[in-house]
Amino acid sequence: MTEVHERLEELRDRGLYRHLRLVEGPQGPTVTLDGRPVLLLCSNNYLGLADRAEVREAAAEAALQWGAGSGASRLISGNMEPHRALERRLAAFEGYESALLFGSGYLANSGVIAALAGRGEVVFSDELNHASIVDGCRLSRAETFVYRHGDLEHLSWGLRKARGRGSLIVTDGVFSMDGDVAPLTQLLELAHRHGARLMVDEAHATGAVGPGGRGSVAAAGLSGEVDIVVGTLGKALGSYGAYVCAAAELVDLLVNSARSFIFSTAPPPSASAAAAAALAILETEPELVDKLQANAALLRRSLAAEGLEAGPSTTQVVPVHVGEAEATMELCELALEKGVFAQGIRPPTVPDGSCRLRMTAMATHRREDLVAAAHMVGTAAREVGLVRAEPLAA
Ligand SMILES: Cc1ncc(COP(=O)(O)O)c(C=O)c1O
């Protein structure tokens, strides 16, 4: 048996040890972190809906009406009106026949993949997909072909090699650590050509990109055509939980076979009611999405003026690439000292040697705060020797 202490020591030696930081108050553009006020640039509360009054009130009212918890899984006694109402709303929002709630995005991805692929089949997964997709592939007991990031030739080759055993192609819509968008039109074409389904994880796309925040699938004009769309409620929609949109029959199969749906307590009614309120705001204030993307573009430009490039990002996820774990955490701590909270991201979240400071813009950031944050990160990067040049005029 490996000693707990030794395992922790090993993580420390490799610069991979993580610890929890304490945020006081809601996820606003500024938070108090471990007792100090800092600019928040690593929250997924992209539209600021987690702390909007209407969303909080909807959660409070639902808790008063329905109770704090749902008491059981949906198939036992936990299926309540707030779940049903939100599912109807989400299906209409995404342009699908049916939607099904899951406890979280992690549970949705792992449960859906394991339910839709099995022994003897092959799942095709982008190498930069989220860990919940990786774990879903493992749970499915299908063979997994990991294709190089966004590499359609590599995927095509794998599909040919699978000779009809390919059952599912799965990809993040917006990649969670890089902020680039998957080539969905071509992926769907390959899925059709090889008789496989396409599943897109819209965790960082729902509410953040596409027409009215309908995600990368809608942005590509593929609503209703991509077989399975997974979205989360805990990021731009400011609540907690996740959903899957698909044809009614496929959703029925998930109700009957996705273990993370069947064997887990239904989401608290307050979380579903809060997400429904967030969706209502998104529908009446689609300009929030434009504000978010304008802020993201400003953050990228301001970082570039500091000599820091955000790679292929075209969205609100804006990584500052560093490389090694120790240098990344040094930059993270120094930026924090200057007043910017952006998390250093290390393996296993990203591949070895590609550690980064992952910055995220929110619609609620003031423009001057984003420029100031980029300048503080730029100064920190110069101090740790990551960039040499003085900043250009933004
Ligand atoms: C791409 C992606 N998919 C799924 C998840 C999991 O969603 P949740 O936080 O709701 O479990 C996340 C983030 O946490 C994510 O970044």
Side-chain angles (χ1 to χ4, degrees):
M1 192 169 71
T2 325
E3 285 300 323
V4 170
H5 177 72
E6 281 170 17
R7 286 180 60 181
L8 287 170
E9 275 308 295
E10 193 201 329
L11 287 172
R12 283 193 186 93
D13 288 348
R14 295 170 58 205
L16 299 180
Y17 178 77
R18 306 178 189 211
H19 71 282
L20 294 167
R21 302 184 199 266
L22 191 64
V23 171
E24 287 165 43
Q27 301 276 306
T30 309
V31 291
T32 303
L33 181 74
D34 296 327
R36 276 186 58 223
V38 287
L39 286 173
L40 179 62
L41 280 120
C42 55
S43 177
N44 300 322
N45 180 24
Y46 296 130
L47 301 178
L49 296 179
D51 49 328
R52 273 278 290 250
E54 305 94 303
V55 177
R56 294 178 187 211
E57 278 156 16
E61 276 164 25
L64 289 175
Q65 185 179 354
W66 300 94
S70 52
S73 70
R74 301 276 299 281
L75 283 168
I76 305 296
S77 70
N79 191 30
M80 293 175 166
E81 186 49 33
H83 302 133
R84 278 273 177 80
L86 178 59
E87 283 172 345
R88 277 196 292 268
R89 209 171 183 140
L90 285 166
F93 177 74
E94 294 277 7
Y96 278 79
E97 242 175 29
S98 210
L100 185 67
L101 294 179
F102 280 73
S104 71
Y106 185 93
L107 291 172
N109 279 334
S110 51
V112 171
I113 297 171
L116 296 183
R119 258 188 237 285
E121 296 181 329
V122 187
V123 180
F124 297 85
S125 175
D126 188 290
E127 67 178 334
L128 296 187
N129 277 343
H130 188 257
S132 53
I133 294 177
V134 174
D135 291 357
C137 293
R138 289 178 181 151
L139 279 172
S140 74
R141 298 195 169 92
E143 205 180 298
T144 306
F145 181 90
V146 178
Y147 60 92
R148 287 189 291 271
H149 181 49
D151 187 337
L152 298 163
E153 295 231 335
H154 193 209
L155 171 60
S156 239
W157 179 81
L159 282 160
R160 285 198 302 277
K161 217 172 133 240
R163 294 179 193 284
R165 289 187 304 126
S167 60
L168 189 66
I169 300 172
V170 54
T171 184
D172 282 13
V174 169
F175 284 87
S176 58
M177 297 296 137
D178 291 84
D180 56 334
V181 180
L184 295 179
T185 305
Q186 296 90 325
L187 289 175
L188 187 62
E189 209 176 278
L190 281 174
H192 284 163
R193 196 178 317 150
H194 292 271
R197 292 192 178 93
L198 177 62
M199 167 170 162
V200 179
D201 175 3
E202 295 275 66
H204 296 276
T206 302
V209 303
R214 284 174 170 73
S216 64
V217 169
L222 300 175
S223 298
E225 289 186 50
V226 166
D227 301 275
I228 305 118
V229 170
V230 175
T232 49
L233 305 173
K235 302 187 195 308
L237 293 179
S239 178
Y240 188 73
Y243 60 93
V244 177
C245 285
E249 203 173 32
L250 196 144
V251 166
D252 201 18
L253 176 67
L254 293 177
V255 170
N256 283 278
S257 60
R259 293 169 67 86
S260 59
F261 174 83
I262 299 171
F263 299 108
S264 191
T265 300
S270 54
S272 297
L279 212 50
I281 294 175
L282 184 56
E283 282 169 344
T284 52
E285 297 175 33
E287 64 275 11
L288 282 173
V289 180
D290 303 329
K291 179 79 196 315
L292 170 66
Q293 292 309 332
N295 275 354
L298 174 65
L299 179 60
R300 287 194 301 272
R301 275 199 312 278
S302 307
L303 287 167
E306 298 288 331
L308 299 167
E309 294 296 336
S313 168
T314 55
T315 66
Q316 76 285 353
V317 176
V318 181
V320 171
H321 289 274
V322 180
E324 294 311 316
E326 274 179 20
T328 305
M329 294 321 289
E330 213 183 320
L331 177 64
C332 173
E333 294 301 332
L334 207 51
L336 198 52
E337 265 175 38
K338 297 184 188 306
V340 178
F341 180 25
Q343 275 292 5
I345 306 290
R346 297 163 281 172
T349 310
V350 292
D352 272 334
S354 71
C355 300
R356 66 202 65 181
L357 202 63
R358 175 184 182 267
M359 300 182 78
T360 52
M362 299 193 284
T364 47
H365 280 128
R366 296 182 314 173
R367 294 176 70 79
E368 56 267 37
D369 287 344
L370 293 167
V371 174
H375 186 60
M376 286 186 246
V377 172
T379 308
R382 278 185 291 283
E383 283 174 22
V384 298
L386 282 173
V387 281
R388 277 183 183 75
E390 283 306 305
L392 306 167

mmCIF file of all heavy atoms in Angstrom, residues 236-275:
data_model
loop_
_atom_site.group_PDB
_atom_site.id
_atom_site.type_symbol
_atom_site.label_atom_id
_atom_site.label_comp_id
_atom_site.label_asym_id
_atom_site.label_seq_id
_atom_site.Cartn_x
_atom_site.Cartn_y
_atom_site.Cartn_z
ATOM 1 N N ALA A 236 -21.925 29.290 -17.190
ATOM 2 C CA ALA A 236 -22.608 30.541 -17.569
ATOM 3 C C ALA A 236 -24.014 30.627 -16.983
ATOM 4 O O ALA A 236 -24.528 31.734 -16.778
ATOM 5 C CB ALA A 236 -22.665 30.665 -19.084
ATOM 6 N N LEU A 237 -24.658 29.504 -16.726
ATOM 7 C CA LEU A 237 -26.037 29.568 -16.219
ATOM 8 C C LEU A 237 -26.104 29.726 -14.698
ATOM 9 O O LEU A 237 -27.195 29.729 -14.111
ATOM 10 C CB LEU A 237 -26.863 28.384 -16.733
ATOM 11 C CG LEU A 237 -27.104 28.419 -18.255
ATOM 12 C CD1 LEU A 237 -27.908 27.214 -18.724
ATOM 13 C CD2 LEU A 237 -27.814 29.703 -18.687
ATOM 14 N N GLY A 238 -24.937 29.849 -14.072
ATOM 15 C CA GLY A 238 -24.888 30.344 -12.698
ATOM 16 C C GLY A 238 -25.480 29.455 -11.616
ATOM 17 O O GLY A 238 -25.702 29.908 -10.499
ATOM 18 N N SER A 239 -25.739 28.181 -11.910
ATOM 19 C CA SER A 239 -26.358 27.332 -10.897
ATOM 20 C C SER A 239 -25.498 26.093 -10.666
ATOM 21 O O SER A 239 -24.270 26.214 -10.481
ATOM 22 C CB SER A 239 -27.775 26.973 -11.366
ATOM 23 O OG SER A 239 -28.397 26.118 -10.452
ATOM 24 N N TYR A 240 -26.113 24.919 -10.693
ATOM 25 C CA TYR A 240 -25.359 23.671 -10.547
ATOM 26 C C TYR A 240 -26.138 22.566 -11.238
ATOM 27 O O TYR A 240 -27.364 22.541 -11.195
ATOM 28 C CB TYR A 240 -25.156 23.313 -9.067
ATOM 29 C CG TYR A 240 -24.223 22.130 -8.901
ATOM 30 C CD1 TYR A 240 -22.856 22.265 -9.118
ATOM 31 C CD2 TYR A 240 -24.717 20.871 -8.594
ATOM 32 C CE1 TYR A 240 -21.998 21.184 -9.013
ATOM 33 C CE2 TYR A 240 -23.864 19.774 -8.474
ATOM 34 C CZ TYR A 240 -22.501 19.947 -8.692
ATOM 35 O OH TYR A 240 -21.653 18.868 -8.603
ATOM 36 N N GLY A 241 -25.421 21.635 -11.862
ATOM 37 C CA GLY A 241 -26.072 20.536 -12.566
ATOM 38 C C GLY A 241 -25.680 20.550 -14.035
ATOM 39 O O GLY A 241 -24.793 21.311 -14.445
ATOM 40 N N ALA A 242 -26.333 19.680 -14.802
ATOM 41 C CA ALA A 242 -26.023 19.604 -16.231
ATOM 42 C C ALA A 242 -27.215 19.001 -16.961
ATOM 43 O O ALA A 242 -28.165 18.526 -16.334
ATOM 44 C CB ALA A 242 -24.789 18.745 -16.447
ATOM 45 N N TYR A 243 -27.150 19.035 -18.287
ATOM 46 C CA TYR A 243 -28.252 18.458 -19.072
ATOM 47 C C TYR A 243 -27.718 17.838 -20.349
ATOM 48 O O TYR A 243 -26.617 18.163 -20.816
ATOM 49 C CB TYR A 243 -29.293 19.530 -19.410
ATOM 50 C CG TYR A 243 -28.742 20.682 -20.228
ATOM 51 C CD1 TYR A 243 -28.804 20.674 -21.623
ATOM 52 C CD2 TYR A 243 -28.139 21.767 -19.604
ATOM 53 C CE1 TYR A 243 -28.308 21.731 -22.371
ATOM 54 C CE2 TYR A 243 -27.631 22.822 -20.342
ATOM 55 C CZ TYR A 243 -27.720 22.798 -21.721
ATOM 56 O OH TYR A 243 -27.210 23.841 -22.464
ATOM 57 N N VAL A 244 -28.536 16.936 -20.882
ATOM 58 C CA VAL A 244 -28.221 16.311 -22.157
ATOM 59 C C VAL A 244 -29.408 16.556 -23.072
ATOM 60 O O VAL A 244 -30.554 16.336 -22.663
ATOM 61 C CB VAL A 244 -28.023 14.786 -21.975
ATOM 62 C CG1 VAL A 244 -27.760 14.115 -23.311
ATOM 63 C CG2 VAL A 244 -26.879 14.528 -21.014
ATOM 64 N N CYS A 245 -29.173 17.030 -24.289
ATOM 65 C CA CYS A 245 -30.240 17.195 -25.278
ATOM 66 C C CYS A 245 -30.045 16.181 -26.390
ATOM 67 O O CYS A 245 -28.922 15.988 -26.875
ATOM 68 C CB CYS A 245 -30.195 18.590 -25.895
ATOM 69 S SG CYS A 245 -30.819 19.845 -24.781
ATOM 70 N N ALA A 246 -31.126 15.548 -26.798
ATOM 71 C CA ALA A 246 -31.058 14.548 -27.868
ATOM 72 C C ALA A 246 -32.470 14.231 -28.324
ATOM 73 O O ALA A 246 -33.435 14.825 -27.831
ATOM 74 C CB ALA A 246 -30.370 13.279 -27.353
ATOM 75 N N ALA A 247 -32.597 13.264 -29.252
ATOM 76 C CA ALA A 247 -33.922 12.805 -29.675
ATOM 77 C C ALA A 247 -34.600 12.129 -28.479
ATOM 78 O O ALA A 247 -33.931 11.560 -27.609
ATOM 79 C CB ALA A 247 -33.774 11.816 -30.831
ATOM 80 N N ALA A 248 -35.938 12.178 -28.462
ATOM 81 C CA ALA A 248 -36.692 11.664 -27.308
ATOM 82 C C ALA A 248 -36.352 10.197 -27.020
ATOM 83 O O ALA A 248 -36.210 9.794 -25.856
ATOM 84 C CB ALA A 248 -38.184 11.825 -27.565
ATOM 85 N N GLU A 249 -36.192 9.419 -28.078
ATOM 86 C CA GLU A 249 -35.935 7.987 -27.848
ATOM 87 C C GLU A 249 -34.563 7.764 -27.210
ATOM 88 O O GLU A 249 -34.409 6.920 -26.322
ATOM 89 C CB GLU A 249 -36.029 7.244 -29.182
ATOM 90 C CG GLU A 249 -36.321 5.783 -28.988
ATOM 91 C CD GLU A 249 -36.591 5.064 -30.299
ATOM 92 O OE1 GLU A 249 -36.002 5.464 -31.349
ATOM 93 O OE2 GLU A 249 -37.369 4.102 -30.274
ATOM 94 N N LEU A 250 -33.589 8.548 -27.650
ATOM 95 C CA LEU A 250 -32.251 8.406 -27.057
ATOM 96 C C LEU A 250 -32.276 8.824 -25.587
ATOM 97 O O LEU A 250 -31.668 8.177 -24.724
ATOM 98 C CB LEU A 250 -31.242 9.232 -27.862
ATOM 99 C CG LEU A 250 -29.783 8.864 -27.575
ATOM 100 C CD1 LEU A 250 -28.944 8.953 -28.840
ATOM 101 C CD2 LEU A 250 -29.172 9.752 -26.506
ATOM 102 N N VAL A 251 -33.012 9.885 -25.286
ATOM 103 C CA VAL A 251 -33.120 10.326 -23.889
ATOM 104 C C VAL A 251 -33.794 9.238 -23.055
ATOM 105 O O VAL A 251 -33.401 8.963 -21.918
ATOM 106 C CB VAL A 251 -33.869 11.682 -23.806
ATOM 107 C CG1 VAL A 251 -34.291 12.004 -22.373
ATOM 108 C CG2 VAL A 251 -32.984 12.795 -24.356
ATOM 109 N N ASP A 252 -34.785 8.576 -23.653
ATOM 110 C CA ASP A 252 -35.464 7.481 -22.955
ATOM 111 C C ASP A 252 -34.466 6.357 -22.637
ATOM 112 O O ASP A 252 -34.496 5.762 -21.556
ATOM 113 C CB ASP A 252 -36.586 6.961 -23.877
ATOM 114 C CG ASP A 252 -37.648 6.225 -23.101
ATOM 115 O OD1 ASP A 252 -37.708 6.393 -21.872
ATOM 116 O OD2 ASP A 252 -38.413 5.464 -23.736
ATOM 117 N N LEU A 253 -33.577 6.119 -23.582
ATOM 118 C CA LEU A 253 -32.551 5.082 -23.335
ATOM 119 C C LEU A 253 -31.640 5.508 -22.181
ATOM 120 O O LEU A 253 -31.276 4.681 -21.337
ATOM 121 C CB LEU A 253 -31.724 4.837 -24.611
ATOM 122 C CG LEU A 253 -30.570 3.847 -24.445
ATOM 123 C CD1 LEU A 253 -31.106 2.426 -24.188
ATOM 124 C CD2 LEU A 253 -29.666 3.840 -25.672
ATOM 125 N N LEU A 254 -31.301 6.806 -22.135
ATOM 126 C CA LEU A 254 -30.438 7.284 -21.040
ATOM 127 C C LEU A 254 -31.137 7.130 -19.690
ATOM 128 O O LEU A 254 -30.521 6.721 -18.709
ATOM 129 C CB LEU A 254 -30.045 8.749 -21.268
ATOM 130 C CG LEU A 254 -29.142 9.018 -22.474
ATOM 131 C CD1 LEU A 254 -28.897 10.519 -22.628
ATOM 132 C CD2 LEU A 254 -27.820 8.271 -22.375
ATOM 133 N N VAL A 255 -32.432 7.436 -19.648
ATOM 134 C CA VAL A 255 -33.186 7.272 -18.389
ATOM 135 C C VAL A 255 -33.084 5.814 -17.930
ATOM 136 O O VAL A 255 -33.028 5.524 -16.732
ATOM 137 C CB VAL A 255 -34.675 7.675 -18.597
ATOM 138 C CG1 VAL A 255 -35.535 7.278 -17.391
ATOM 139 C CG2 VAL A 255 -34.785 9.166 -18.853
ATOM 140 N N ASN A 256 -33.035 4.926 -18.898
ATOM 141 C CA ASN A 256 -33.030 3.495 -18.569
ATOM 142 C C ASN A 256 -31.649 2.881 -18.441
ATOM 143 O O ASN A 256 -31.541 1.715 -18.044
ATOM 144 C CB ASN A 256 -33.834 2.728 -19.631
ATOM 145 C CG ASN A 256 -35.317 2.889 -19.405
ATOM 146 O OD1 ASN A 256 -35.901 2.189 -18.592
ATOM 147 N ND2 ASN A 256 -35.916 3.865 -20.076
ATOM 148 N N SER A 257 -30.598 3.613 -18.818
ATOM 149 C CA SER A 257 -29.298 2.946 -18.800
ATOM 150 C C SER A 257 -28.116 3.790 -18.312
ATOM 151 O O SER A 257 -27.047 3.235 -18.049
ATOM 152 C CB SER A 257 -28.971 2.396 -20.201
ATOM 153 O OG SER A 257 -28.947 3.470 -21.103
ATOM 154 N N ALA A 258 -28.272 5.109 -18.174
ATOM 155 C CA ALA A 258 -27.114 5.912 -17.727
ATOM 156 C C ALA A 258 -27.003 5.783 -16.200
ATOM 157 O O ALA A 258 -27.847 6.294 -15.451
ATOM 158 C CB ALA A 258 -27.287 7.371 -18.146
ATOM 159 N N ARG A 259 -25.985 5.104 -15.761
ATOM 160 C CA ARG A 259 -25.881 4.772 -14.333
ATOM 161 C C ARG A 259 -25.744 6.011 -13.450
ATOM 162 O O ARG A 259 -26.242 6.034 -12.332
ATOM 163 C CB ARG A 259 -24.713 3.805 -14.113
ATOM 164 C CG ARG A 259 -24.967 2.436 -14.739
ATOM 165 C CD ARG A 259 -23.726 1.571 -14.744
ATOM 166 N NE ARG A 259 -23.298 1.170 -13.423
ATOM 167 C CZ ARG A 259 -23.754 0.106 -12.760
ATOM 168 N NH1 ARG A 259 -24.688 -0.664 -13.299
ATOM 169 N NH2 ARG A 259 -23.280 -0.187 -11.570
ATOM 170 N N SER A 260 -25.087 7.059 -13.968
ATOM 171 C CA SER A 260 -24.933 8.265 -13.151
ATOM 172 C C SER A 260 -26.254 9.037 -13.042
ATOM 173 O O SER A 260 -26.387 9.921 -12.205
ATOM 174 C CB SER A 260 -23.837 9.161 -13.722
ATOM 175 O OG SER A 260 -24.168 9.524 -15.041
ATOM 176 N N PHE A 261 -27.215 8.723 -13.902
ATOM 177 C CA PHE A 261 -28.571 9.284 -13.770
ATOM 178 C C PHE A 261 -29.402 8.417 -12.828
ATOM 179 O O PHE A 261 -30.048 8.913 -11.902
ATOM 180 C CB PHE A 261 -29.254 9.355 -15.150
ATOM 181 C CG PHE A 261 -30.687 9.794 -15.070
ATOM 182 C CD1 PHE A 261 -31.024 11.136 -14.999
ATOM 183 C CD2 PHE A 261 -31.718 8.856 -15.027
ATOM 184 C CE1 PHE A 261 -32.356 11.540 -14.878
ATOM 185 C CE2 PHE A 261 -33.047 9.256 -14.913
ATOM 186 C CZ PHE A 261 -33.356 10.601 -14.843
ATOM 187 N N ILE A 262 -29.330 7.120 -13.053
ATOM 188 C CA ILE A 262 -30.201 6.193 -12.308
ATOM 189 C C ILE A 262 -29.825 6.124 -10.823
ATOM 190 O O ILE A 262 -30.690 6.139 -9.958
ATOM 191 C CB ILE A 262 -30.121 4.768 -12.927
ATOM 192 C CG1 ILE A 262 -30.604 4.805 -14.378
ATOM 193 C CG2 ILE A 262 -30.935 3.766 -12.111
ATOM 194 C CD1 ILE A 262 -30.367 3.509 -15.159
ATOM 195 N N PHE A 263 -28.515 6.055 -10.584
ATOM 196 C CA PHE A 263 -28.064 5.773 -9.212
ATOM 197 C C PHE A 263 -27.568 7.000 -8.464
ATOM 198 O O PHE A 263 -26.620 6.922 -7.698
ATOM 199 C CB PHE A 263 -26.972 4.685 -9.248
ATOM 200 C CG PHE A 263 -27.479 3.385 -9.826
ATOM 201 C CD1 PHE A 263 -27.072 2.960 -11.079
ATOM 202 C CD2 PHE A 263 -28.391 2.601 -9.127
ATOM 203 C CE1 PHE A 263 -27.555 1.775 -11.626
ATOM 204 C CE2 PHE A 263 -28.878 1.419 -9.666
ATOM 205 C CZ PHE A 263 -28.465 1.003 -10.914
ATOM 206 N N SER A 264 -28.177 8.146 -8.726
ATOM 207 C CA SER A 264 -27.735 9.361 -8.056
ATOM 208 C C SER A 264 -28.954 10.236 -7.743
ATOM 209 O O SER A 264 -29.897 10.300 -8.542
ATOM 210 C CB SER A 264 -26.754 10.099 -8.974
ATOM 211 O OG SER A 264 -26.119 11.127 -8.286
ATOM 212 N N THR A 265 -28.928 10.897 -6.605
ATOM 213 C CA THR A 265 -30.049 11.739 -6.181
ATOM 214 C C THR A 265 -30.299 12.863 -7.194
ATOM 215 O O THR A 265 -29.357 13.441 -7.736
ATOM 216 C CB THR A 265 -29.738 12.324 -4.784
ATOM 217 O OG1 THR A 265 -29.566 11.221 -3.890
ATOM 218 C CG2 THR A 265 -30.845 13.220 -4.279
ATOM 219 N N ALA A 266 -31.563 13.145 -7.442
ATOM 220 C CA ALA A 266 -31.932 14.220 -8.379
ATOM 221 C C ALA A 266 -31.369 15.557 -7.887
ATOM 222 O O ALA A 266 -31.218 15.759 -6.678
ATOM 223 C CB ALA A 266 -33.454 14.305 -8.476
ATOM 224 N N PRO A 267 -31.073 16.474 -8.817
ATOM 225 C CA PRO A 267 -30.556 17.792 -8.391
ATOM 226 C C PRO A 267 -31.546 18.471 -7.436
ATOM 227 O O PRO A 267 -32.753 18.258 -7.538
ATOM 228 C CB PRO A 267 -30.464 18.575 -9.701
ATOM 229 C CG PRO A 267 -30.410 17.546 -10.778
ATOM 230 C CD PRO A 267 -31.180 16.372 -10.285
ATOM 231 N N PRO A 268 -31.046 19.306 -6.515
ATOM 232 C CA PRO A 268 -31.959 20.035 -5.634
ATOM 233 C C PRO A 268 -32.895 20.903 -6.469
ATOM 234 O O PRO A 268 -32.451 21.531 -7.446
ATOM 235 C CB PRO A 268 -31.040 20.915 -4.785
ATOM 236 C CG PRO A 268 -29.657 20.552 -5.134
ATOM 237 C CD PRO A 268 -29.644 19.628 -6.296
ATOM 238 N N PRO A 269 -34.176 20.969 -6.137
ATOM 239 C CA PRO A 269 -35.112 21.791 -6.920
ATOM 240 C C PRO A 269 -34.660 23.237 -7.020
ATOM 241 O O PRO A 269 -34.898 23.900 -8.033
ATOM 242 C CB PRO A 269 -36.434 21.691 -6.144
ATOM 243 C CG PRO A 269 -36.220 20.728 -5.031
ATOM 244 C CD PRO A 269 -34.816 20.253 -5.024
ATOM 245 N N SER A 270 -33.981 23.730 -5.983
ATOM 246 C CA SER A 270 -33.541 25.133 -6.023
ATOM 247 C C SER A 270 -32.522 25.356 -7.145
ATOM 248 O O SER A 270 -32.522 26.402 -7.791
ATOM 249 C CB SER A 270 -32.920 25.525 -4.682
ATOM 250 O OG SER A 270 -31.901 24.614 -4.339
ATOM 251 N N ALA A 271 -31.659 24.356 -7.404
ATOM 252 C CA ALA A 271 -30.652 24.504 -8.469
ATOM 253 C C ALA A 271 -31.339 24.541 -9.829
ATOM 254 O O ALA A 271 -30.958 25.319 -10.719
ATOM 255 C CB ALA A 271 -29.648 23.359 -8.400
ATOM 256 N N SER A 272 -32.377 23.707 -10.000
ATOM 257 C CA SER A 272 -33.082 23.692 -11.288
ATOM 258 C C SER A 272 -33.854 24.993 -11.482
ATOM 259 O O SER A 272 -33.863 25.558 -12.583
ATOM 260 C CB SER A 272 -34.039 22.490 -11.348
ATOM 261 O OG SER A 272 -33.291 21.294 -11.266
ATOM 262 N N ALA A 273 -34.481 25.469 -10.430
ATOM 263 C CA ALA A 273 -35.245 26.718 -10.548
ATOM 264 C C ALA A 273 -34.302 27.894 -10.837
ATOM 265 O O ALA A 273 -34.622 28.785 -11.632
ATOM 266 C CB ALA A 273 -36.032 26.971 -9.267
ATOM 267 N N ALA A 274 -33.130 27.882 -10.213
ATOM 268 C CA ALA A 274 -32.159 28.950 -10.463
ATOM 269 C C ALA A 274 -31.702 28.921 -11.923
ATOM 270 O O ALA A 274 -31.605 29.968 -12.581
ATOM 271 C CB ALA A 274 -30.953 28.786 -9.534
ATOM 272 N N ALA A 275 -31.449 27.727 -12.449
ATOM 273 C CA ALA A 275 -31.008 27.618 -13.845
ATOM 274 C C ALA A 275 -32.106 28.083 -14.795
ATOM 275 O O ALA A 275 -31.828 28.735 -15.812
ATOM 276 C CB ALA A 275 -30.605 26.178 -14.150
#
